């Protein structure tokens, strides 16, 4: 696994028990704040991981000029859905998404869209009522998804 992906994943994995402990000792309003924080960390992890994987792909396979172009384009990735990811990965190789989908469980794939929906709700000031346990389950699915992406894009 790319070092910066592993580092960010480990930070979030280590954060969850602290948030869970704090949430167990507080009211529902603060529990929502903690869950929302974990959502933002999880979506950031997905975005940063995709950037890192694609930048590493370019380092291995493209000349410097193409690598800079791709790095610039992927630096603006945010609010990633499976639809956006399918288009992005297939732009490098038309069979990438099919290969990634074959490795992922339905829960891994749905975690990406679920966390994106919650993130968008947070960004637009909506409440969603999703708890830490559910968000952590989505984060686990995203970690699995990222691992499969890395296996396919960087064999």
């Amino acid at each position: 696994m790319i070092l910066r992906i592993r580092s960010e994943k480990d930070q979030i994995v280590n954060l969850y028990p602290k948030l869970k402990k704090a949430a167990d000792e507080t009211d529902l309003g603060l529990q929502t704040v903690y869950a929302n924080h974990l959502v933002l960390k999880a979506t950031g992890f997905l975005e940063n991981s995709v950037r890192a994987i694609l930048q590493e792909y370019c380092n291995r396979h493209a000349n410097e000029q193409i690598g800079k172009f791709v790095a610039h384009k992927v630096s603006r990735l945010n609010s990633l859905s499976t639809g956006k990811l399918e288009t992005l990965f297939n732009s490098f190789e038309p069979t990438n998404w099919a290969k990634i989908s074959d490795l992922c469980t339905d829960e891994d794939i749905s975690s990406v869209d679920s966390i994106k929906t919650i993130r968008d709700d947070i960004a637009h000031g909506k409440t969603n009522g999703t708890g830490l346990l559910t968000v952590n389950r989505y984060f686990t699915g995203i970690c699995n998804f990222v691992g499969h992406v890395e296996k396919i894009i960087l064999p």
Side-chain angles (χ1 to χ4, degrees), residues 132-148:
L132 273 172
L133 186 63
T134 300
V135 175
N136 193 57
R137 192 176 73 243
Y138 293 155
F139 176 66
T140 299
I142 288 168
C143 290
N144 294 337
F145 176 82
V146 166
H148 297 312

Side-chain angles (χ1 to χ4, degrees), residues 20 53 57 83 87 91 105 115 150-151 155:
K20 179 77 172 106
I53 290 166
Y57 176 87
T87 300
S91 68
T105 66
I115 209 82
E150 190 170 8
K151 284 178 194 170

Side-chain angles (χ1 to χ4, degrees), residues 2 5 19 21 28 66 71 85 96 103 111 122 126 136 139 147-148:
I2 296 172
I5 294 174
L19 290 175
K21 183 176 189 279
L28 191 56
I66 299 294
L85 290 167
N96 276 342
L103 292 176
S111 292
I122 293 167
K126 296 179 185 175
N136 193 57
F139 176 66
H148 297 312

Side-chain angles (χ1 to χ4, degrees), residues 11-12 15-16 18-20 29-45 115 118-119 122 128 130-132 135-136 139:
Q11 288 174 2
I12 298 169
L15 175 65
Y16 174 73
K18 295 172 187 169
L19 290 175
K20 179 77 172 106
L30 279 176
Q31 289 176 17
T32 300
V33 170
Y34 297 147
N36 289 350
H37 180 69
L38 192 59
V39 165
L40 297 176
K41 296 290 277 182
T43 56
F45 170 75
I115 209 82
I118 298 167
R119 176 243 170 251
I122 293 167
N128 58 62
T130 307
L132 273 172
V135 175
N136 193 57
F139 176 66

Side-chain angles (χ1 to χ4, degrees), residues 21-91:
K21 183 176 189 279
D24 288 344
E25 299 170 357
T26 192
D27 64 53
L28 191 56
L30 279 176
Q31 289 176 17
T32 300
V33 170
Y34 297 147
N36 289 350
H37 180 69
L38 192 59
V39 165
L40 297 176
K41 296 290 277 182
T43 56
F45 170 75
L46 175 61
E47 294 163 6
N48 293 337
S49 296
V50 168
R51 280 186 206 108
I53 290 166
L54 294 179
Q55 287 171 344
E56 181 60 27
Y57 176 87
C58 287
N59 289 343
R60 293 181 187 182
H61 300 286
N63 67 38
E64 185 178 349
Q65 187 177 13
I66 299 294
K68 285 180 181 180
F69 172 79
V70 171
H72 174 72
K73 287 294 185 184
V74 300
S75 71
R76 297 175 184 218
L77 291 175
N78 61 20
S79 195
L80 296 175
S81 65
T82 54
K84 280 184 181 180
L85 290 167
E86 179 177 3
T87 300
L88 177 65
F89 295 140
N90 283 349
S91 68

